[in-house]
Amino acid sequence: MEQCPICLNKCKSNMWSRDRKYLDCPQCGKYTADAKIEMLIGRRRLTQRQKANISGWLAENEGYEITSENLDNFLIKLKLPSFIDRADSLLCHIAARSDFAGASIQFDKSFISRAWCVNEEELQAVTDYLITTKRIFVIIESQIWLNKYKVLANGWIRLEELSKTNSKSSQGFVAMCFSDDLKSLYEEAIAPAISDAGYLPHKVDLREHNDKIDDEIIAQIRRSKFVVADFTRHRGGVYFEAGFAKGLGLEVFWLCEKDDLKNLHFDIRQYYFIEWTNDNKEELKRRLTLRIEGLFGKGPEKS
Ligand SMILES: [Zn+2]
């Protein structure tokens, strides 16, 4: 047993190879990391929130490998999802453990990471929201780890709403500016990321799509399981398509070139954006695949 370098809980570990190790943490889940992970984390003096975000990410992306590179470029920059997204994530986690509607699930440390919380007090706030919306019921004991959680009818209905949107579709609609110099963004990053996750990328014909929203676009969005929207250059069409998809309850993956982030319309800045630069398309591809798989699991199109 050793200490998880992220959440400091006791965890199992194994050397995977000379420079990589495998960790199995009750809070962060299973992940692999550079053998010198303690030193890498220690040097960076991460805040409690940064560690909680990394723990949340690891819990949602089983088997993730931490390297010094993605630690700096990605993990320590993770943004906290919205409060409601965190509550949904916790609800989904409890439901996944329930063998039947009404089953009582005992608290464990994974609840903290699934709700992206820094500690048990914060988890309490997320839990309180689920209780007041009558999505869960908690049998409170003298110690939190003895508490039992039960998903209520409202919770199951909420989960059905979350999953109903085109659950059988394997299409990912791509909304972006289709100028020539952004072609490689689609060809080298977005399309292969969607394919790697096991879904079919769909983009509208370049010639026809000039910020004109027609019935074909509307129909294709309706048919899709999710939308990948790249806001670089801030085309009105992209804003419309992402908003339309949100209105339908579809998941939207928000992308923007790093230097262009500052120009995002104020109203959408709170979303979790995957930022990219011209020389990190490979990283963008990988992150997008992970996010898609993290939310929907591997799609049916994977051979
Ligand atoms: Zn941990």
Side-chain angles (χ1 to χ4, degrees):
M1 283 290 218
E2 66 175 84
Q3 207 177 30
C4 169
I6 311 294
C7 68
L8 309 183
N9 280 297
K10 282 210 172 83
C11 74
K12 291 184 211 147
S13 83
N14 253 315
M15 284 310 284
W16 189 280
S17 64
R18 239 164 35 133
D19 48 7
R20 225 155 49 106
K21 65 178 163 184
Y22 164 85
L23 297 106
D24 184 356
C25 167
Q27 186 166 320
C28 309
K30 297 174 174 132
Y31 63 100
T32 63
D34 188 292
K36 295 194 269 316
I37 179 78
E38 286 81 8
M39 196 188 73
L40 296 176
I41 298 279
R43 267 194 200 153
R44 283 161 179 81
R45 300 184 184 281
L46 302 184
T47 62
Q48 205 185 11
R49 175 57 68 197
Q50 283 173 315
K51 287 185 179 179
N53 288 351
I54 296 175
S55 185
W57 171 263
L58 292 174
E60 285 180 9
N61 296 279
E62 192 182 312
Y64 189 82
E65 182 186 347
I66 305 179
T67 62
S68 65
E69 201 196 0
N70 63 25
L71 187 60
D72 285 328
N73 296 333
F74 174 56
L75 291 173
I76 64 176
K77 294 180 190 164
L78 279 169
K79 285 191 191 132
L80 184 65
S82 74
F83 187 83
I84 288 181
D85 285 349
R86 293 158 67 198
D88 284 338
S89 170
L90 177 61
L91 176 66
C92 193
H93 183 57
I94 300 169
R97 297 183 151 203
S98 308
D99 290 333
F100 55 90
S104 295
I105 307 301
Q106 190 144 351
F107 168 87
D108 74 49
K109 299 257 181 198
S110 64
F111 286 27
I112 297 175
S113 56
R114 289 298 174 144
W116 293 56
C117 292
V118 291
N119 54 28
E120 288 163 7
E121 283 73 40
E122 192 179 25
L123 177 68
Q124 191 58 54
V126 178
T127 309
D128 284 345
Y129 167 76
L130 290 172
I131 294 170
T132 44
T133 49
K134 297 197 167 67
R135 290 176 185 165
I136 63 169
F137 177 74
V138 183
I139 302 163
I140 311 252
E141 303 285 352
S142 52
Q143 307 286 351
I144 187 171
W145 57 85
L146 297 173
N147 286 357
K148 291 200 178 67
Y149 297 69
K150 208 181 263 202
V151 178
L152 298 177
N154 267 347
W156 295 109
I157 291 166
R158 169 71 179 168
L159 290 166
E160 274 174 26
E161 279 167 7
L162 289 172
S163 68
K164 76 167 191 277
T165 29
N166 301 347
S167 58
K168 290 202 179 75
S169 168
S170 61
Q171 174 166 292
F173 184 91
V174 181
M176 61 182 287
C177 165
F178 286 109
S179 63
D180 278 351
D181 59 330
L182 287 175
K183 247 187 195 166
S184 65
L185 172 72
Y186 178 80
E187 288 166 4
E188 292 167 32
I190 296 178
I194 296 173
S195 305
D196 285 359
Y199 298 90
L200 295 171
H202 180 91
K203 70 172 165 56
V204 289
D205 192 306
L206 305 188
R207 286 158 302 173
E208 288 169 12
H209 189 55
N210 192 13
D211 269 356
K212 189 171 118 283
I213 312 293
D214 59 18
D215 294 341
E216 167 69 3
I217 290 174
I218 296 289
Q220 289 300 345
I221 295 173
R222 283 189 187 282
R223 217 168 278 157
S224 297
K225 191 178 182 73
F226 57 85
V227 168
V228 175
D230 181 72
F231 287 81
T232 311
R233 312 275 160 80
H234 310 283
R235 288 294 165 88
V238 175
Y239 279 81
F240 177 91
E241 286 154 19
F244 181 68
K246 274 301 256 188
L248 290 177
L250 293 181
E251 193 64 46
V252 176
F253 298 91
W254 311 81
L255 273 49
C256 189
E257 187 177 13
K258 196 175 177 193
D259 290 338
D260 212 8
L261 273 173
K262 58 181 182 298
N263 301 318
L264 280 174
H265 192 279
F266 182 77
D267 287 343
I268 61 163
R269 282 187 200 164
Q270 79 272 24
Y271 291 111
Y272 174 88
F273 270 82
I274 304 182
E275 50 185 65
W276 58 272
T277 58
N278 257 322
D279 51 18
N280 78 350
K281 290 207 194 79
E282 191 57 34
E283 176 69 4
L284 165 64
K285 184 183 110 185
R286 221 176 49 77
R287 285 169 61 186
L288 183 54
T289 302
L290 275 172
R291 291 228 32 111
I292 296 170
E293 286 182 355
L295 269 164
F296 301 114
K298 287 209 195 315
E301 305 299 328
K302 194 144 187 158
S303 53

